[in-house]
Amino acid sequence: MQGVRNRLVKGAAMLGGARVIVNLTAFASTLVLARLLTPQDFGLVALVIAVSAIVAAITDMSLNQALIQLESPSESSYHTAFTLNLLRSIGLALLMLALGYPMALIYHDDRLVALMAVVAVITATAALDNPKLVVFQRNLQFKQAFAITVTERMVASLVAVGLAVLYRSYWALVLGTLAAAVIRVALSYAFIPYRPRLSLTHWRQFLAFSIWLSLGKMVQAANLRAIPLVVGAFLPAGAVGQYSVGERVAAMPIRESIGTLQSVLFPAYARMRDDVERLQRAYLRAQGSVSLFASPTGLGLAAIAAPLVPAVLGAKWIPAVPIVQAVAVASAVMAIQNALPLAMALGQQRALFMRNVRVFAIQLPMLIAGLVLGRLSPLGGLGGLAVGLSTAAIVNTSINLWLVRSISGIGIRAQIGAVVRPMLAAIAMAASLMVAQEFLISGQHPVTGLWLCVILVGAGAVIYAVLLGLLNLVWRNHDGAEAELFNIIRRVISSIRSKGPSAH
């Protein structure tokens, strides 16, 4: 158990580090590209990427997850995965080519035809990925994933910026992505040898695993893409933009961390599926660890959104403040449970599909009700949308707790107990920040803008750490994630002291 835990911690740290590097690189390259290219360039490519992302999500077969879930995949299992991915990607590429002309007609821009053709080539290139990379993930080895993720992002950024400097063309954005796809395929075979063969020997086995997961991803894609469409039906295009940017700013920190953790937890849970008690302990410890980060990040961001949004994004984005607050709170609340890797490890794909259908059925009417309420009240359209988003998140999270209970046997009380201390500390921290914010703004020497945000973030971190430590002492909890965190901190401090002058 200790060995698996250590590998999980190292894997999460490594993949988390990769995501930090990737996001910082992407952000820096976007700033450079924004100076070299025009908004029309970004808009043109965004249309193509959006269409390809929707189609890819709808046809996703979750082949890597299927290989992880198999007890002991054979060589023919890898051949089958490669063949299925190849057939899917060829179909996608042909569909991209076919959609080029309709898109050009709809958006009145003939350049979309050529762009869709290049995206088709990118899709076909991705079909050649080495399926045996999953061996490293099954063994909880993540150095290879780190190297591939960081390298392909670096290549994409360097190629895109270089071409933009030379040609000032939207092609820089697309060709950077193509270069990254080629590098990824090359690295996948460099890390682990594999000679592809066409085979459909185990297609039924893959389909049995993937069918519900794929259907669930189809509904999930509809969930993500439906909100801007619903907002656009009630509010002007500017409000849709406010929602899109606000949602991205608020959801990214927690979504990225949970995405990293899910890629680590799924293979770990799959190894424990025959030991129920061990799996239950691992899930509760993982959720406690997630809550340590998600609770203060989400609730803290909601508390300081009012000064943060104009300071970072500019005054024109102030209408997005309620969206940032609602999505940040919703992200923190939804992080209480993480049914996806648990359900996949236990072969409960159908349950995941039904969950995604339920999310859609609950979320859509609540968003519409919120928008209608907002337009008929002083809340305004975006304020009403924020109410709808928050309410849907709370309702869906409550139901998801029951889903985890039904597939794993972990009681609701145990699930809440794993996250209650970080959540209470984060709520108290958020309340303190709101009071401090009013004091700093209205004091004799008002503090505003970015300095106010820096002070609030620093104060929030200190307040949260102190409150979490006090709650840990009061609860006398020695097995929770926060207790383990404090033990690590104490060991680090002791190690530093032992190396200090007194040690000599």
Side-chain angles (χ1 to χ4, degrees):
M1 181 67 178
Q2 190 67 34
V4 172
R5 184 186 302 172
N6 289 339
R7 280 186 284 173
L8 281 176
V9 171
K10 290 179 181 177
M14 192 164 291
L15 292 181
R19 290 211 177 201
V20 169
I21 295 171
V22 164
N23 288 332
L24 289 176
T25 303
F27 180 71
S29 65
T30 298
L31 292 180
V32 175
L33 290 168
R35 293 182 176 274
L36 297 172
L37 304 177
T38 67
Q40 289 76 16
D41 291 330
F42 279 94
L44 193 66
V45 174
L47 288 173
V48 175
I49 298 300
V51 171
S52 64
I54 293 172
V55 175
I58 292 174
T59 60
D60 183 77
M61 297 180 70
S62 304
L63 297 173
N64 282 351
Q65 288 88 340
L67 285 170
I68 291 173
Q69 200 266 349
L70 291 175
E71 192 72 37
S72 53
S74 63
E75 198 70 16
S76 59
S77 299
Y78 293 110
H79 294 329
T80 302
F82 177 84
T83 305
L84 288 173
N85 188 43
L86 181 66
L87 293 173
R88 168 184 175 268
S89 298
I90 290 173
L92 278 177
L94 293 174
L95 182 57
M96 300 296 179
L97 287 171
L99 289 173
Y101 286 101
M103 285 189 65
L105 291 174
I106 292 170
Y107 294 103
H108 309 291
D109 198 322
D110 293 337
R111 293 175 294 177
L112 288 169
V113 176
L115 280 171
M116 288 296 286
V118 174
V119 171
V121 174
I122 295 171
T123 303
T125 302
L128 302 176
D129 266 0
N130 185 349
K132 276 204 167 182
L133 275 179
V134 79
V135 170
F136 298 117
Q137 199 173 351
R138 284 176 62 90
N139 295 329
L140 304 181
Q141 298 172 336
F142 300 99
K143 288 187 294 186
Q144 296 78 11
F146 176 91
I148 290 176
T149 301
V150 172
T151 302
E152 67 175 331
R153 181 66 258 176
M154 292 289 188
V155 168
S157 298
L158 289 173
V159 171
V161 171
L163 291 175
V165 169
L166 292 174
Y167 300 107
R168 299 293 201 278
S169 169
Y170 57 86
W171 284 109
L173 300 171
V174 180
L175 295 178
T177 304
L178 176 59
V182 172
I183 288 294
R184 177 180 176 81
V185 171
L187 287 176
S188 72
Y189 288 92
F191 280 124
I192 182 167
Y194 172 69
R195 180 175 294 179
R197 291 184 182 177
L198 299 181
S199 171
L200 292 173
T201 305
H202 300 287
W203 70 271
R204 288 185 178 88
Q205 192 176 16
F206 279 93
L207 192 62
F209 174 87
S210 301
I211 183 65
W212 291 110
L213 202 57
S214 299
L215 289 172
K217 288 187 177 181
M218 289 171 58
V219 179
Q220 196 171 30
N223 283 334
L224 293 174
R225 299 294 175 179
I227 298 179
L229 298 176
V230 172
V231 176
F234 287 85
L235 301 176
V240 178
Q242 297 282 357
Y243 164 77
S244 298
V245 173
E247 192 274 341
R248 191 179 308 168
V249 168
M252 189 182 72
I254 297 177
R255 183 186 295 157
E256 288 295 317
S257 62
I258 292 178
T260 299
L261 194 62
Q262 283 177 344
S263 63
V264 176
L265 289 178
F266 173 40
Y269 290 162
R271 293 160 67 103
M272 304 175 194
R273 59 175 171 249
D274 295 326
D275 188 340
V276 177
E277 290 187 5
R278 185 183 176 200
L279 178 61
Q280 290 176 342
R281 289 195 301 270
Y283 176 82
L284 292 175
R285 184 175 290 276
Q287 286 314 108
S289 300
V290 169
S291 189
L292 280 175
F293 172 81
S295 296
T297 301
L299 299 181
L301 180 57
I304 67 171
L308 183 67
V309 169
V312 175
L313 299 177
K316 63 183 177 182
W317 294 104
I318 288 177
V321 167
I323 298 299
V324 172
Q325 292 171 327
V327 173
V329 171
S331 298
V333 170
M334 289 188 292
I336 290 174
Q337 54 75 39
N338 190 10
L340 179 61
L342 185 64
M344 287 195 302
L346 294 173
Q348 296 286 341
Q349 291 79 21
R350 186 177 184 276
L352 283 177
F353 169 70
M354 297 307 299
R355 181 199 68 168
N356 289 334
V357 171
R358 185 184 64 247
V359 168
F360 185 78
I362 291 173
Q363 180 174 268
L364 186 60
M366 285 190 172
L367 294 183
I368 293 175
L371 287 163
V372 172
L373 172 67
R375 294 187 67 182
L376 298 176
S377 71
L379 281 173
L382 290 175
L385 176 63
V387 172
L389 287 168
S390 302
T391 306
I394 293 171
V395 173
N396 277 312
T397 298
S398 301
I399 298 175
N400 281 337
L401 291 173
W402 287 95
L403 171 63
V404 171
R405 176 185 172 182
S406 68
I407 64 177
S408 68
I410 303 173
I412 305 295
R413 184 175 179 179
Q415 293 182 59
I416 295 176
V419 303
V420 65
R421 290 174 296 278
M423 184 63 75
L424 288 175
I427 291 171
M429 175 207 69
S432 301
L433 290 182
M434 294 175 72
V435 172
Q437 186 179 143
E438 291 299 320
F439 174 78
L440 290 170
I441 292 175
S442 58
Q444 186 175 0
H445 302 287
V447 182
T448 58
L450 202 55
W451 278 113
L452 174 62
C453 298
V454 171
I455 292 171
L456 291 175
V457 169
V462 173
I463 293 170
Y464 176 70
V466 171
L467 291 174
L468 190 63
L470 290 175
L471 287 173
N472 190 56
L473 289 174
V474 171
W475 241 275
R476 297 181 182 277
N477 178 57
H478 302 293
D479 195 41
E482 62 272 28
E484 187 170 333
L485 175 63
F486 285 128
N487 286 333
I488 291 173
I489 293 173
R490 278 195 290 267
R491 286 198 295 269
V492 171
I493 293 174
S494 298
S495 176
I496 293 173
R497 285 179 176 174
S498 66
K499 295 177 182 178
S502 60
H504 300 287

